Amino acid sequence: MSYIESLQVFVRVTELGSITSGGRDLRLTPAVASKRIKELERHLGVRLFNRTTRSITPTEVGRVFYDEARRVLQALETAEARVASFSDSPRGALRVTAPLGVGRRIVAPLVPAFTDTYPETEVRMRLSDRRVDILADGQDVAFFIGAPQDSNMKLRKIADCARVLCASPEYLRAAGTPMQPEDLLNQNHNCLLLRYPRSPEYFWTLNTAGDPLKLEVRGRFDADDGDVLTDWALAGRGIANKPRFDVAHHLASGRLVEILPDTPPLPMIFGCLYPHKKLQDPKVRLFVEHVVTRSKALLAGSERLPD
């Protein structure tokens, strides 16, 4: 299996642009990852990477070999998945990505029970509020809140996720409590925004009696981490637009107060995406079913979710 491992290291180093990152992704030390690359180059009799003190990039032959090596690994993965499907016994590493809030409070708590049930599996989670390229990053399952990002993926809707506008009592005493949606603009409220390259949340859409109302809200703070927005709201710095499950414990304790409850933000889809070819991999199929079944119970009892 050392040759297969060398191919895996080569592919991930090419994709991540670093021996350290490629090795870490495969749970190998930089020294072992570097050794695998050198063994592969010695076996092939060519140099696969151009190396400098600051970067590593594939050579022309390295780029050609990458395409073929990736096909080999994908074919091997498909073959193993088909064999595993006969016994319905999942095994191997499962790469999962999710936004920070839903990852920490919904998906991550469900992982131990899955690996207890299927002890030959490993779950490797990557949490980020930034958009993830599932195929380029080698992910098996991507959970999301909002609109699905890639129509070429298999979509599984899990639930409609209610959202809430909220602020601390201290902020509302100082800035006033909005009584209608337009007050968010007219009273110059500080709206805390989730922003990153290609972010969809440059406006808030509220559910009114008529058509949905889109507001181009403004604020002095923005971040690419939803938990940072919650922390700012708790510190009295502005109004946050959050999934209800994400702040339910703060609402219950009174540290945050719901505002404009009659015109809440539109709910968003909580779901997951995965490549169509993963349908035949039992670890992907069973993990998705595991999260779908148990996350609905967590969302229904969101007031008890941990901080």
mmCIF file of all heavy atoms in Angstrom, residues 196-212:
data_model
loop_
_atom_site.group_PDB
_atom_site.id
_atom_site.type_symbol
_atom_site.label_atom_id
_atom_site.label_comp_id
_atom_site.label_asym_id
_atom_site.label_seq_id
_atom_site.Cartn_x
_atom_site.Cartn_y
_atom_site.Cartn_z
ATOM 1 N N TYR A 196 -17.487 37.577 3.462
ATOM 2 C CA TYR A 196 -16.255 36.974 2.978
ATOM 3 C C TYR A 196 -16.345 37.006 1.459
ATOM 4 O O TYR A 196 -17.412 37.318 0.920
ATOM 5 C CB TYR A 196 -16.087 35.540 3.492
ATOM 6 C CG TYR A 196 -17.307 34.668 3.341
ATOM 7 C CD1 TYR A 196 -17.544 33.959 2.165
ATOM 8 C CD2 TYR A 196 -18.240 34.562 4.367
ATOM 9 C CE1 TYR A 196 -18.672 33.162 2.024
ATOM 10 C CE2 TYR A 196 -19.365 33.765 4.234
ATOM 11 C CZ TYR A 196 -19.571 33.065 3.064
ATOM 12 O OH TYR A 196 -20.689 32.281 2.919
ATOM 13 N N PRO A 197 -15.263 36.730 0.742
ATOM 14 C CA PRO A 197 -15.349 36.768 -0.725
ATOM 15 C C PRO A 197 -16.498 35.917 -1.250
ATOM 16 O O PRO A 197 -16.666 34.776 -0.853
ATOM 17 C CB PRO A 197 -13.977 36.216 -1.163
ATOM 18 C CG PRO A 197 -13.069 36.574 -0.039
ATOM 19 C CD PRO A 197 -13.902 36.448 1.218
ATOM 20 N N ARG A 198 -17.339 36.508 -2.096
ATOM 21 C CA ARG A 198 -18.525 35.870 -2.689
ATOM 22 C C ARG A 198 -19.602 35.581 -1.644
ATOM 23 O O ARG A 198 -20.461 34.730 -1.839
ATOM 24 C CB ARG A 198 -18.152 34.591 -3.448
ATOM 25 C CG ARG A 198 -17.226 34.831 -4.629
ATOM 26 C CD ARG A 198 -16.870 33.533 -5.325
ATOM 27 N NE ARG A 198 -16.201 32.589 -4.467
ATOM 28 C CZ ARG A 198 -14.913 32.639 -4.161
ATOM 29 N NH1 ARG A 198 -14.154 33.592 -4.671
ATOM 30 N NH2 ARG A 198 -14.377 31.742 -3.373
ATOM 31 N N SER A 199 -19.558 36.307 -0.523
ATOM 32 C CA SER A 199 -20.583 36.112 0.507
ATOM 33 C C SER A 199 -21.947 36.528 -0.010
ATOM 34 O O SER A 199 -22.080 37.554 -0.663
ATOM 35 C CB SER A 199 -20.245 36.939 1.757
ATOM 36 O OG SER A 199 -21.351 36.961 2.636
ATOM 37 N N PRO A 200 -23.015 35.751 0.304
ATOM 38 C CA PRO A 200 -24.357 36.121 -0.130
ATOM 39 C C PRO A 200 -25.034 37.117 0.802
ATOM 40 O O PRO A 200 -26.057 37.671 0.460
ATOM 41 C CB PRO A 200 -25.107 34.787 -0.120
ATOM 42 C CG PRO A 200 -24.439 34.024 0.976
ATOM 43 C CD PRO A 200 -22.980 34.419 0.927
ATOM 44 N N GLU A 201 -24.489 37.335 2.018
ATOM 45 C CA GLU A 201 -25.214 38.120 3.016
ATOM 46 C C GLU A 201 -24.779 39.572 3.037
ATOM 47 O O GLU A 201 -24.259 40.064 4.033
ATOM 48 C CB GLU A 201 -25.069 37.490 4.396
ATOM 49 C CG GLU A 201 -26.175 36.510 4.706
ATOM 50 C CD GLU A 201 -26.235 36.137 6.174
ATOM 51 O OE1 GLU A 201 -26.273 37.031 7.016
ATOM 52 O OE2 GLU A 201 -26.230 34.941 6.457
ATOM 53 N N TYR A 202 -24.998 40.292 1.936
ATOM 54 C CA TYR A 202 -24.796 41.738 1.953
ATOM 55 C C TYR A 202 -26.127 42.442 2.177
ATOM 56 O O TYR A 202 -26.196 43.662 2.146
ATOM 57 C CB TYR A 202 -24.163 42.205 0.644
ATOM 58 C CG TYR A 202 -22.718 41.813 0.532
ATOM 59 C CD1 TYR A 202 -22.354 40.628 -0.102
ATOM 60 C CD2 TYR A 202 -21.722 42.599 1.088
ATOM 61 C CE1 TYR A 202 -21.030 40.248 -0.193
ATOM 62 C CE2 TYR A 202 -20.385 42.222 0.986
ATOM 63 C CZ TYR A 202 -20.052 41.052 0.350
ATOM 64 O OH TYR A 202 -18.736 40.669 0.268
ATOM 65 N N PHE A 203 -27.173 41.698 2.378
ATOM 66 C CA PHE A 203 -28.485 42.254 2.695
ATOM 67 C C PHE A 203 -29.228 41.245 3.572
ATOM 68 O O PHE A 203 -28.862 40.074 3.641
ATOM 69 C CB PHE A 203 -29.283 42.534 1.418
ATOM 70 C CG PHE A 203 -29.401 41.352 0.496
ATOM 71 C CD1 PHE A 203 -30.390 40.391 0.696
ATOM 72 C CD2 PHE A 203 -28.511 41.177 -0.556
ATOM 73 C CE1 PHE A 203 -30.489 39.285 -0.132
ATOM 74 C CE2 PHE A 203 -28.610 40.066 -1.388
ATOM 75 C CZ PHE A 203 -29.604 39.127 -1.182
ATOM 76 N N TRP A 204 -30.269 41.743 4.251
ATOM 77 C CA TRP A 204 -31.134 40.872 5.027
ATOM 78 C C TRP A 204 -32.510 40.857 4.383
ATOM 79 O O TRP A 204 -33.014 41.915 3.967
ATOM 80 C CB TRP A 204 -31.258 41.367 6.472
ATOM 81 C CG TRP A 204 -29.993 41.193 7.270
ATOM 82 C CD1 TRP A 204 -28.887 40.509 6.920
ATOM 83 C CD2 TRP A 204 -29.740 41.747 8.574
ATOM 84 N NE1 TRP A 204 -27.944 40.571 7.900
ATOM 85 C CE2 TRP A 204 -28.433 41.323 8.930
ATOM 86 C CE3 TRP A 204 -30.469 42.530 9.456
ATOM 87 C CZ2 TRP A 204 -27.865 41.682 10.154
ATOM 88 C CZ3 TRP A 204 -29.897 42.879 10.670
ATOM 89 C CH2 TRP A 204 -28.612 42.465 11.014
ATOM 90 N N THR A 205 -33.135 39.700 4.308
ATOM 91 C CA THR A 205 -34.473 39.567 3.748
ATOM 92 C C THR A 205 -35.422 39.129 4.850
ATOM 93 O O THR A 205 -35.242 38.063 5.454
ATOM 94 C CB THR A 205 -34.492 38.548 2.594
ATOM 95 O OG1 THR A 205 -33.523 38.928 1.606
ATOM 96 C CG2 THR A 205 -35.870 38.522 1.941
ATOM 97 N N LEU A 206 -36.452 39.974 5.109
ATOM 98 C CA LEU A 206 -37.381 39.712 6.194
ATOM 99 C C LEU A 206 -38.716 39.219 5.650
ATOM 100 O O LEU A 206 -39.144 39.590 4.548
ATOM 101 C CB LEU A 206 -37.601 40.977 7.029
ATOM 102 C CG LEU A 206 -36.338 41.649 7.591
ATOM 103 C CD1 LEU A 206 -36.723 42.758 8.554
ATOM 104 C CD2 LEU A 206 -35.426 40.640 8.269
ATOM 105 N N ASN A 207 -39.368 38.396 6.422
ATOM 106 C CA ASN A 207 -40.642 37.795 6.048
ATOM 107 C C ASN A 207 -41.779 38.710 6.512
ATOM 108 O O ASN A 207 -42.094 38.781 7.702
ATOM 109 C CB ASN A 207 -40.766 36.415 6.696
ATOM 110 C CG ASN A 207 -41.885 35.592 6.093
ATOM 111 O OD1 ASN A 207 -42.572 36.042 5.186
ATOM 112 N ND2 ASN A 207 -42.066 34.386 6.606
ATOM 113 N N THR A 208 -42.388 39.427 5.587
ATOM 114 C CA THR A 208 -43.477 40.343 5.919
ATOM 115 C C THR A 208 -44.801 39.768 5.449
ATOM 116 O O THR A 208 -44.853 38.716 4.807
ATOM 117 C CB THR A 208 -43.239 41.713 5.253
ATOM 118 O OG1 THR A 208 -43.321 41.566 3.826
ATOM 119 C CG2 THR A 208 -41.874 42.271 5.624
ATOM 120 N N ALA A 209 -45.893 40.491 5.754
ATOM 121 C CA ALA A 209 -47.221 40.018 5.354
ATOM 122 C C ALA A 209 -47.372 39.973 3.846
ATOM 123 O O ALA A 209 -48.137 39.182 3.299
ATOM 124 C CB ALA A 209 -48.300 40.925 5.969
ATOM 125 N N GLY A 210 -46.639 40.843 3.145
ATOM 126 C CA GLY A 210 -46.673 40.828 1.689
ATOM 127 C C GLY A 210 -45.487 40.065 1.137
ATOM 128 O O GLY A 210 -45.185 38.943 1.567
ATOM 129 N N ASP A 211 -44.804 40.668 0.165
ATOM 130 C CA ASP A 211 -43.613 40.047 -0.398
ATOM 131 C C ASP A 211 -42.447 40.163 0.587
ATOM 132 O O ASP A 211 -42.416 41.064 1.430
ATOM 133 C CB ASP A 211 -43.233 40.729 -1.720
ATOM 134 C CG ASP A 211 -44.286 40.510 -2.800
ATOM 135 O OD1 ASP A 211 -44.934 39.444 -2.766
ATOM 136 O OD2 ASP A 211 -44.469 41.401 -3.650
ATOM 137 N N PRO A 212 -41.476 39.260 0.496
ATOM 138 C CA PRO A 212 -40.288 39.390 1.337
ATOM 139 C C PRO A 212 -39.631 40.755 1.138
ATOM 140 O O PRO A 212 -39.567 41.271 0.022
ATOM 141 C CB PRO A 212 -39.387 38.251 0.848
ATOM 142 C CG PRO A 212 -40.337 37.241 0.300
ATOM 143 C CD PRO A 212 -41.448 38.037 -0.315
#
